Amino acid sequence: MASQKRVTAAVMIIGDEILSGRTQDTNLNHIARYLGTLGVDLAEARVVPDDEDEIVEALNHLRGKYSYVITTGGIGPTHDDITADCVAKAFGVELYEHPEIIAMMTARWAGELNAARRRMARVPVGGSLVKNPVQGPPGFQIGNVFVLAGVPAIMRGMLEDVGPRLEGGAVTLSRTLKVDGSGEGVIAAPLEAVAKAHPDLSLGSYPFFSQEGYGSQLVIRGRDPAEVEATLAELESALAAVGVAKMTRLDPAP
Amino acid sequence: MASQKRVTAAVMIIGDEILSGRTQDTNLNHIARYLGTLGVDLAEARVVPDDEDEIVEALNHLRGKYSYVITTGGIGPTHDDITADCVAKAFGVELYEHPEIIAMMTARWAGELNAARRRMARVPVGGSLVKNPVQGPPGFQIGNVFVLAGVPAIMRGMLEDVGPRLEGGAVTLSRTLKVDGSGEGVIAAPLEAVAKAHPDLSLGSYPFFSQEGYGSQLVIRGRDPAEVEATLAELESALAAVGVAKMTRLDPAP
């Protein structure tokens, strides 16, 4: 095998709640494993407080040193959610209200789209959106930095839109199956059986809960398109066999 | 209230197994909570690989910036356990075989005290031992740096010998208010107003979503019990004023 350039990443976990011990972080471990399947080396991680100077300094150091930086946390509507402000400052650009996010929010909240919620529509100039398949507004990418939510279920969902943007790691394909009205307690056993039968693939479950309903997005990742496709069909059969009724394929075939 | 010196700490987690995703770290959360009860603010955490240059650089930065540094991991007998070497290098001192540790090991292993095990008896010149009440050799302290094991049960045991050596912290109290059925979009404005009125306190919002419902846990932290208590009541009033109906105090009063 030809030698390949080492592709590296750092994770920056933003949040006083991790440093106070109130919350046990699980995002780092998930991101580490996810990057591993893509052939990207997680080289460093930092947990920083909700403090502008600390965040800007750490981000500028890490984005200069590694191929990619993934941040988690601090993108909600409250006054201590300052990640977007800090990322914009680190890149020396302004924030603006992204029209797509405002449109989504208007559709969802209509007249209740208040100032706090509008904070979550702010994206640095030059940034692009990172899809949020779970609930709430999207994350964003600017340069080699990806800004994701801190809530683990949402972070995991967003991460699926990060992988395809990373260069130089091994190419991985993914297919997504959305299950509505069945919880992880039902899904877990057939999902595990299918995962064990395909050790070369990575299978993940990303549950969602919202005022509209609940379910999970199941993602299959791998390097062999035929195996990914066959496994998707296998998973659908296994889920149907335990009574899962509503399944939707979300991606076009690779 | 008399002003108190802020006592700070950083945690440095040393180990490729955390960065590869093989191991889920739980030490950070435990140390954060432990320091919180002592009134020491955990201000930053880093996860660094088993790489001498990275460890030395990070340690020298952190020990200059914060009151204390606690490291976990990399003090076992294998070739990738390089923490003692790196700490000695960072302080510009030599390692020596500590006679107390050699005596313990001789009692335990006698003729099986091989070269790999002797590695674990090495302590930097000027260091003192940190008791290990659990199993195996002790950790050590040098200057404001505490070097502990990575295995959680052992790390926790060693930590009990760290607390009494930390100076100057003040106890921090926290109260938690659980809000059900109202999202952060509704909570954000009153929370921010109350936070701004009490700059000495730390107020945070930690949303949850599940099949049973959604809401947020609001946490108030500070050093003055009367102010924390009064602010909790103030927050309840401010939330009620914007229509939040279901609130539960989760903690007993301080």
Side-chain angles (χ1 to χ4, degrees):
Chain A
M1 189 178 169
S3 79
Q4 287 177 302
K5 189 187 152 210
R6 184 174 177 231
V7 181
T8 57
V11 166
M12 204 165 96
I13 298 163
I14 299 167
D16 288 347
E17 72 278 17
I18 306 293
L19 291 169
S20 72
R22 202 183 158 282
T23 302
Q24 160 73 55
D25 171 71
T26 57
N27 287 334
L28 175 61
N29 187 258
H30 184 85
I31 296 171
R33 290 169 178 267
Y34 180 85
L35 293 176
T37 65
L38 300 176
V40 174
D41 286 341
L42 180 58
E44 180 174 347
R46 294 193 187 184
V47 186
V48 296
D50 298 327
D51 176 287
E52 185 176 281
D53 291 343
E54 294 290 338
I55 296 170
V56 170
E57 187 190 327
L59 182 61
N60 276 335
H61 175 81
L62 296 173
R63 72 189 180 95
K65 186 168 180 179
Y66 302 108
S67 316
Y68 299 105
V69 178
I70 296 174
T71 79
T72 66
I75 64 168
T78 65
H79 66 282
D80 55 350
D81 289 307
I82 60 172
T83 301
D85 306 77
C86 296
V87 173
K89 191 170 176 186
F91 278 85
V93 299
E94 298 293 315
L95 289 169
Y96 72 107
E97 285 190 345
H98 197 289
E100 270 184 56
I101 308 181
I102 291 289
M104 281 178 220
M105 288 180 160
T106 305
R108 167 91 192 269
W109 282 307
E112 293 172 70
L113 180 46
N114 58 25
R117 285 175 173 147
R118 290 186 89 100
R119 278 177 64 79
M120 298 193 287
R122 299 174 312 148
V123 171
V125 172
S128 62
L129 301 186
V130 171
K131 278 181 210 152
N132 175 353
V134 181
Q135 173 185 305
F140 61 83
Q141 172 186 3
I142 177 166
N144 62 343
V145 176
F146 296 89
V147 175
L148 310 185
V151 175
I154 299 175
M155 192 289 296
R156 292 174 190 205
M158 287 180 170
L159 202 55
E160 296 294 339
D161 193 30
V162 172
R165 304 186 193 196
L166 305 181
E167 284 175 26
V171 175
T172 301
L173 301 161
S174 80
R175 298 297 311 275
T176 302
L177 185 68
K178 182 166 180 257
V179 171
D180 284 283
S182 299
E184 284 198 304
V186 170
I187 292 164
L191 182 69
E192 185 181 357
V194 172
K196 282 193 171 161
H198 297 277
D200 289 345
L201 304 182
S202 154
L203 276 73
S205 171
Y206 308 103
F208 58 86
F209 307 95
S210 73
Q211 282 155 273
E212 289 79 38
Y214 69 99
S216 193
Q217 295 204 17
L218 308 180
V219 177
I220 303 171
R221 265 193 308 271
R223 294 174 187 184
D224 175 351
E227 188 181 9
V228 169
E229 200 63 22
T231 304
L232 176 61
E234 208 176 300
L235 182 60
E236 287 169 329
S237 302
L239 290 168
V242 297
V244 173
K246 193 169 172 204
M247 295 181 264
T248 317
R249 293 183 176 199
L250 293 187
D251 316 300
Chain B
M1 188 177 171
S3 79
Q4 285 176 298
K5 188 187 156 210
R6 185 176 175 229
V7 181
T8 56
V11 166
M12 204 164 97
I13 297 161
I14 299 167
D16 288 347
E17 71 279 16
I18 307 292
L19 291 170
S20 72
R22 208 183 142 278
T23 302
Q24 160 74 54
D25 171 72
T26 57
N27 287 334
L28 175 62
N29 187 257
H30 184 85
I31 297 170
R33 289 169 179 266
Y34 181 84
L35 293 176
T37 63
L38 300 175
V40 173
D41 287 339
L42 180 58
E44 180 173 348
R46 294 195 187 182
V47 187
V48 296
D50 298 327
D51 177 288
E52 185 177 281
D53 292 344
E54 294 290 337
I55 295 170
V56 170
E57 187 189 327
L59 182 61
N60 276 334
H61 175 81
L62 296 173
R63 73 189 180 95
K65 185 168 180 179
Y66 303 108
S67 316
Y68 299 105
V69 178
I70 296 173
T71 78
T72 66
I75 64 169
T78 65
H79 69 284
D80 54 350
D81 288 306
I82 60 172
T83 301
D85 307 78
C86 295
V87 173
K89 190 171 178 185
F91 278 84
V93 300
E94 297 295 315
L95 289 170
Y96 73 109
E97 284 191 347
H98 197 288
E100 272 185 55
I101 308 181
I102 291 290
M104 282 179 221
M105 286 181 163
T106 304
R108 166 91 192 266
W109 284 306
E112 293 172 69
L113 180 47
N114 58 25
R117 286 177 173 145
R118 290 186 89 99
R119 279 176 61 80
M120 295 192 289
R122 299 174 312 147
V123 171
V125 172
S128 62
L129 301 187
V130 171
K131 278 181 211 148
N132 176 353
V134 181
Q135 172 187 303
F140 61 84
Q141 173 186 3
I142 177 166
N144 62 343
V145 176
F146 297 89
V147 175
L148 310 185
V151 175
I154 299 175
M155 193 288 298
R156 292 173 191 207
M158 289 180 171
L159 202 55
E160 296 297 336
D161 192 31
V162 172
R165 306 187 191 193
L166 305 181
E167 285 174 25
V171 175
T172 301
L173 302 161
S174 79
R175 298 298 310 271
T176 301
L177 185 69
K178 182 166 180 254
V179 170
D180 285 282
S182 298
E184 283 200 300
V186 171
I187 292 164
L191 181 68
E192 186 179 358
V194 174
K196 281 192 172 161
H198 298 276
D200 288 345
L201 304 182
S202 155
L203 276 74
S205 170
Y206 307 105
F208 59 86
F209 308 94
S210 75
Q211 277 159 264
E212 289 76 40
Y214 67 100
S216 193
Q217 294 203 19
L218 308 181
V219 177
I220 303 173
R221 263 192 302 274
R223 292 176 185 185
D224 176 349
E227 188 180 11
V228 169
E229 202 63 21
T231 305
L232 177 60
E234 207 177 299
L235 182 61
E236 287 169 329
S237 303
L239 290 169
V242 296
V244 172
K246 191 166 173 204
M247 293 181 266
T248 316
R249 292 181 177 201
L250 292 188
D251 314 301

